[in-house]
Amino acid sequence: MNPDTRLKDPLSLRVTPWISFIGFFVVWQLLIDTGIVPRILLASPAEVGQLFIDKLTNPDPDGAVLLTHTMVSLLEAVLGYVLSLVIGIPLGLLMGWFVVAEGLARPPFEMIRPIPPVAWIPLAIFWFGIGLTGKVFIIWACGVVPCVINAYTGVRMTSPTLIQMARTYGASDWQIFTKICVPSALPMVFGGLQIALALAWTTLVAAELIAANEGLGYLITMGRRLLRPDMIVLGMIMVGLTGWIIGNIIDRIERRLTAGLERGGAAT
Amino acid sequence: MTAETVKIECRNVSKIFKQRAGTVQIPVLDDISLRVLENEFLVIVGPGQCGKTTLLRIIAGFETPTAGHVLLDGKEISGPGPDRGMVFQKYTLFPWRTVMANVEMGLKLRGMAKKERREIAGHYIQLVGLQGFEKAYPHELSGGMKQRVGIARAYANDPKVLLLDEPFGQLDAQTRYLMEQETARIWSAEKKTVIFVTNSIDEAVYLADRIITLEGKLPGRVKSSYTVHLPRPREHIDKKFLELRHQITEETELLL
């Protein structure tokens, strides 16, 4: 990113974000209180806050407390996500180095790749019902694509001179793969993890909106059915918040794991 | 120099690069024949785009000649191998590995035990003057130091022939002089058969037992050969040094 060359004074730098943040809620609240936006279309921040406290302990009217919804969504997301990493990353790495692996895996992969993950939802319901397994499958289907692509690209981008150099030392194909290609590909692989995460979370909510009996997406759907805009908004906020938190955790892990690589990666 | 054993021999080596499915043919090397004796320091000089790097890559085994043969100890080479160590113009260190891990890489690939390879790698790190930097990462090193690591790594693997492809081309003039001195010192300390490719006549006269010049345009052909009798360590401003440098410059299209 380019360095910020704008004029900055410390006061406005610190104050303006808060004005905007608080202002957002004030305007929202006022829109409802003055009746410009009817209550049937949107809940006020105060109502959403109230519902949040209420839903911490009250399972009504959608059948579960907030923590249960969040944990259900998280479990589905984590399982599907981990499965897509475990399958996608090795597959992509192998495809990047071994021509046979690419030849075998590429055609089916290219056929499946352009299908938006959401389009798998009806089939997944047929196969696995509306429970955990179906969601895990859908998340796996969408998370595996960026994992494969990034791992593949990472290996393909390995410096050819490093590979040639290893050949002069008599390194075998497998040694070059594990000792050179895989470490070279790591930064790209982590990029893929972030993309996969964002995709997985989005798709999960879509899947829960369509078919579920628990989860944050289900909370939103129930809000629509029961004409409860406060439930819809609470669900949206929880989805955003949880996604943001997971994103940050992955970011931390990545930074720790690639610390050594980044140090060197910038050099050559 | 020990008895006149021929280490590397190129017999009538030609190379034609084919582009666009063979419709465009670029002759790069034409009928190159040369011999490198055991522990001889041979420098191949030529301007850019004269095929000298291609010749070195053929000897390394990265390219196959269109015609002719390359022999190492009388046996034809087929592909790259640990008997030929290469130092590239581009820094080719593993960015995620320390100096020590980079130098011992070749030995590790061969399955040598840790203690033994540490000892060997440590010796060559010392030989190239990098003691104290064993735990440094490549990005913490200057360009000259990176090439020292490359030389130490090539040496540590104990190849029969050392191939250096314009190893100092990316360095600034000061560092380049220093690295030439260091290369001469290292080679004098532990003799090896060396083929060194450069575009600098000065560098060639400073380092070589023998210099082979290539013609200045494609396809590359051997133009002439000079034996350098100057005693080592050499001085860039020595009268005989300058005379030889002048003579080669006169007889070459190179303006260096």
Side-chain angles (χ1 to χ4, degrees), chain A residues 43-115:
Chain A
S44 72
E47 285 166 328
V48 175
Q50 230 163 17
L51 181 68
F52 173 78
I53 293 163
D54 182 48
K55 284 298 292 175
L56 287 178
T57 49
N58 182 4
D60 289 333
D62 44 277
V65 295
L66 198 54
L67 188 66
T68 312
H69 285 307
T70 313
M71 291 315 286
V72 165
S73 294
L74 266 180
L75 180 69
E76 293 165 342
V78 167
L79 281 178
Y81 184 61
V82 168
L83 263 184
S84 57
L85 307 192
V86 168
I87 295 171
I89 293 171
L91 183 66
L93 292 173
L94 289 168
M95 281 169 69
W97 183 238
F98 295 101
V99 180
V100 176
E102 181 172 3
L104 286 175
R106 211 181 174 102
F109 180 73
E110 289 294 336
M111 282 189 288
I112 290 169
R113 181 159 87 130
I115 301 170

Side-chain angles (χ1 to χ4, degrees), chain B residues 49-67:
Chain B
Q49 302 288 309
C50 73
K52 58 192 190 299
T53 292
T54 305
L55 179 59
L56 202 67
R57 289 175 58 83
I58 287 174
I59 296 170
F62 295 137
E63 311 270 359
T64 44
T66 313

Side-chain angles (χ1 to χ4, degrees), chain A residues 158-172 175-176 178-184 260-268, chain B residues 57 60 62 80-86 88 90-97 105-106 108-110 137-140 146 150 153-154 157:
Chain A
T158 308
S159 151
T161 7
L162 276 186
I163 294 172
Q164 283 179 350
M165 198 253 330
R167 286 208 196 284
T168 66
Y169 292 130
S172 68
Q175 282 176 319
I176 292 177
T178 53
K179 295 208 158 46
I180 300 174
C181 296
V182 172
S184 294
L261 284 176
E262 302 258 304
R263 269 186 317 201
T268 40
Chain B
R57 289 175 58 83
F62 295 137
D83 47 9
R84 282 147 292 147
M86 183 109 171
F88 296 85
K90 274 179 72 181
Y91 312 129
T92 41
L93 303 180
F94 293 98
W96 60 87
R97 294 210 171 151
M105 196 212 80
K108 197 175 168 184
L109 285 171
R110 275 194 281 159
Y137 283 89
H139 75 104
E140 295 166 318
K146 282 182 202 167
R153 181 172 59 191
N157 211 42

Side-chain angles (χ1 to χ4, degrees), chain A residues 28 30-43:
Chain A
W28 177 6
L30 283 176
L31 281 175
I32 311 283
D33 286 349
T34 54
I36 296 174
V37 175
R39 274 177 199 280
I40 191 73
L41 295 185
L42 188 66

